[in-house]
Amino acid sequence: MERYILALDEGTTSCRAILFDEQGRAAGSAQQEFASIFPQAGWVEQDANEIWRKQLQVMRDAAAGVGVEQIRAIGITNQRETLVVWDAQTGEPLHPAIVWQCRRTSALCETLKADGWEDEVRARTGLLLDPYFSGTKLKWLLDAVPGLREQAEQRRALAGTIDSWLIWKLTEGAVHATDVSNASRTMLYNIHTLEWDADILAKLGIPAAMLPEVKPSSGIFGYTRLLGDATGGGAAGSQAAGIPIAGVAGDQQAALFGQGCFDTGMAKNTYGTGCFLLKNTGDAPVASAKGLLTTIAWQIDGRTTYALEGSVFTAGSVMQWLRDGLGLIAHASDSEALAASVADTLGVYFVPAFTGLGTPYWNADARGMITGLTRGATSAHLVRAALESIAYQTADVLNTMTEESGLPLRELRVDGGAVANGLLMQFQADLLGVSVIRPVLLETTALGAAYLAGLGVGFWSGVDELRGLWALDRTFEPELDEAWRDGVYGGWKKAVGYQL
C-alpha cells in the first residue's frame, strides 16, 4: 500500500495542498485563490475564515482517491508574519487577518525607534523594527478592537500567524501552537533564549497568555480527523487520534529545507515577484550590520538551525513591467529569446527600484533608472539588462551574506518561476562564480513542509535519506572569468550608486 505525506501550502494569494509519496514526488495537488482586502492606502487584510475554508477544501481535493489510512502525516507551510486573532471559545476571527504586506503600524515603529528600541529588537529577535513583522500588528489590534485586551488577558482571545490558525482549526480547537521558524518572524520571540521575549511583550502591552506554544519544526503538533475517519498516525501516535500534524515551517524556511540546504553555508534563492534568499548559518545566529535578517530556519531533534535572509523587492515584476508597461514582450517567457539575440547589454544597466531597494541598501526612496543608453541600444538590450538586474541584486545579497557570515558560498540552489529562464540562470552562475543548481521539483516550499512532517513520524529516517530524494534538473556552471565578473559588477555598483 502506497503511503503519503500531505503538505498544506498557505501562500499570500492562494491555498494549495500537495500529496507526496515516499520518493518525494508529487502524487496529487489542488489549489484555490482567495481575496485580499485594502481598507485604505497601505493597509492589507484577508478573511481568515475564507483562508480556512479554501485550505480545508484543497486538502480534501488533493487527497481524493487516496485512503485516509495512507496519509501518514500533514505538514504546514505558510505566508509568514500575517496575523490572526480569534475567539478561544467559538473559533471565530475577531478581526480580519492583517497581512505581512500591511504598513498600518509604520508610525508605531517610528515611535519605538525614537524610544531607543531598534537595537534591542534587533539584538533579541534578529529582525528590523518594521511593520512587516507581526508584533506591532498585534499591539495595533489590542488597542483598536474594543474588549480584545481584556479577552486576551483571560485567554479568551488567541493570536497567531497563519500556521497557528490552521493548526487550531485542524485540531478543532485542541491545540494552540506554532513552530520556531514562524515564531522568529513575529518580532516577539527571542531567538537566543528560544522563548517569547518578556521585555518586548511588556513594551508592546501584549499578554503572553494569548500567544501559542512554540514547538520544534518537526514533531507532533496535534491530530486532525477532518479528512474523514482517520486511521493514520502509525507508530507516532494513537491510530484512533487522527492524522498527525507533524511538520510546520514558514514558507521561506520550508523552501530552504525542501531544497536540501541542510549544511552550514548552503543557500537558496526563490525567484518570484521579488527574491527571497536564505543561507544556512548552522547552530549559531549571525548578526548583521548591513540589513540582513537573522532568523531561525528550523528546529529538529533539539537542534536549532539559523539562517541569514535577504530580500530583493523587484525581480519577476520587472518582466511584468516590460510586458504591460512598455509592451516590449508579449509574455514574460519571451524575454529569454529576445535577450539572447544580443551578446550583452551594450553597457546598459537597469536598476529596477520601483519600490525602493532592499538588502543591503534598504533605501525606500530609491527609484528605477536606466543608465548607459546609446543610439545603438535596442529593446533586446533593455530586456537583457532587466534580466541581468535580477542576478545583480541577488549577488548584492549573497555577497553581503558571505561577508557577514564568513561562510563562502559553495553553490546556489534555485526555485521559483524565473528559474525556467536559462539565460538568467547562466548569467547568475557567471556573476557569482559558483554553480547554480535547479531541481526537478520546483515546489520546494510544500516539499520542505512534507519533509519536516515525514521526519516527525518516521516516514523518512533522517536528512541523509532526504538528500537522496532531491533530484537535479540542471546545473549551470560559471563560464566567464573573474576579470569579466569584476567589470560588469563594477558597472552595476556604479549604476546603483546614482540612487544612493
Side-chain angles (χ1 to χ4, degrees), residues 416-493:
V419 302
N421 190 309
L423 185 147
L424 172 59
M425 294 297 99
Q426 184 59 54
F427 187 82
Q428 189 73 84
D430 291 333
L431 188 63
L432 295 173
V434 300
S435 302
V436 170
I437 299 176
R438 185 172 68 194
V440 170
L441 182 66
L442 297 179
E443 302 291 352
T444 55
T445 302
L447 183 61
Y451 280 170
L452 290 166
L455 293 177
V457 296
F459 188 78
W460 292 297
S461 60
V463 295
D464 286 338
E465 183 179 359
L466 297 181
R467 291 181 210 275
L469 300 180
W470 189 90
L472 172 69
D473 173 46
R474 181 177 172 185
T475 298
F476 297 85
E477 299 288 359
E479 298 175 349
L480 299 174
D481 60 20
E482 189 172 352
W484 171 88
R485 190 176 309 126
D486 290 344
V488 297
Y489 191 55
W492 164 258
K493 298 297 282 189

Side-chain angles (χ1 to χ4, degrees), residues 154-171:
Q154 298 173 6
R155 200 175 168 76
R156 292 189 291 114
L158 303 178
T161 43
I162 293 291
D163 59 305
S164 296
W165 169 241
L166 294 179
I167 292 167
W168 175 266
K169 299 297 282 187
L170 285 166
T171 62

Side-chain angles (χ1 to χ4, degrees), residues 194-472:
L194 302 181
E195 58 188 3
W196 298 115
D197 192 285
D199 292 334
I200 295 177
L201 294 182
K203 178 65 177 177
L204 296 179
I206 295 173
M210 73 185 311
L211 299 177
E213 178 185 359
V214 182
K215 292 177 172 282
S217 308
S218 183
I220 304 297
F221 284 73
Y223 297 84
T224 184
R225 297 186 61 86
L226 296 181
L227 267 178
D229 219 1
T231 57
S238 165
Q239 292 197 355
I243 301 173
I245 301 162
V248 177
D251 54 8
Q252 298 307 320
Q253 290 98 325
L256 187 71
F257 201 78
Q259 280 280 31
C261 295
F262 307 133
D263 300 327
T264 302
M266 296 184 74
K268 74 89 188 175
N269 188 21
T270 299
Y271 295 78
T273 301
C275 288
F276 286 96
L277 297 91
L278 269 75
K279 186 174 190 177
N280 183 328
T281 62
D283 296 338
V286 174
S288 172
K290 296 187 176 181
L292 296 171
L293 304 178
T294 306
T295 196
I296 295 177
W298 52 75
Q299 186 183 73
I300 301 174
D301 294 332
R303 178 183 175 185
T304 304
T305 297
Y306 293 86
L308 281 172
E309 179 173 331
S311 301
V312 171
F313 294 161
T314 303
S317 55
V318 73
M319 293 296 109
Q320 296 169 345
W321 180 71
L322 292 178
R323 180 193 65 198
D324 302 334
L326 297 187
L328 296 184
I329 52 177
H331 306 281
S333 58
D334 297 339
S335 61
E336 182 173 4
L338 184 56
S341 70
V342 293
D344 54 39
T345 67
L346 207 66
V348 175
Y349 285 89
F350 189 155
V351 183
F354 297 145
T355 56
L357 288 168
T359 310
Y361 309 107
W362 290 105
N363 187 332
D365 297 324
R367 289 296 175 262
M369 64 180 297
I370 300 168
T371 67
L373 286 173
T374 65
R375 282 290 302 271
T378 67
S379 60
H381 295 103
L382 184 57
V383 170
R384 186 175 183 117
L387 274 177
E388 291 183 0
S389 75
I390 300 171
Y392 284 127
Q393 292 176 97
T394 297
D396 284 339
V397 177
L398 288 168
N399 290 338
T400 304
M401 285 182 173
T402 298
E403 179 184 344
E404 295 204 307
S405 69
L407 300 169
L409 182 67
R410 299 181 296 171
E411 63 185 28
L412 179 65
R413 297 194 173 191
V414 298
D415 55 70
V419 302
N421 190 309
L423 185 147
L424 172 59
M425 294 297 99
Q426 184 59 54
F427 187 82
Q428 189 73 84
D430 291 333
L431 188 63
L432 295 173
V434 300
S435 302
V436 170
I437 299 176
R438 185 172 68 194
V440 170
L441 182 66
L442 297 179
E443 302 291 352
T444 55
T445 302
L447 183 61
Y451 280 170
L452 290 166
L455 293 177
V457 296
F459 188 78
W460 292 297
S461 60
V463 295
D464 286 338
E465 183 179 359
L466 297 181
R467 291 181 210 275
L469 300 180
W470 189 90
L472 172 69

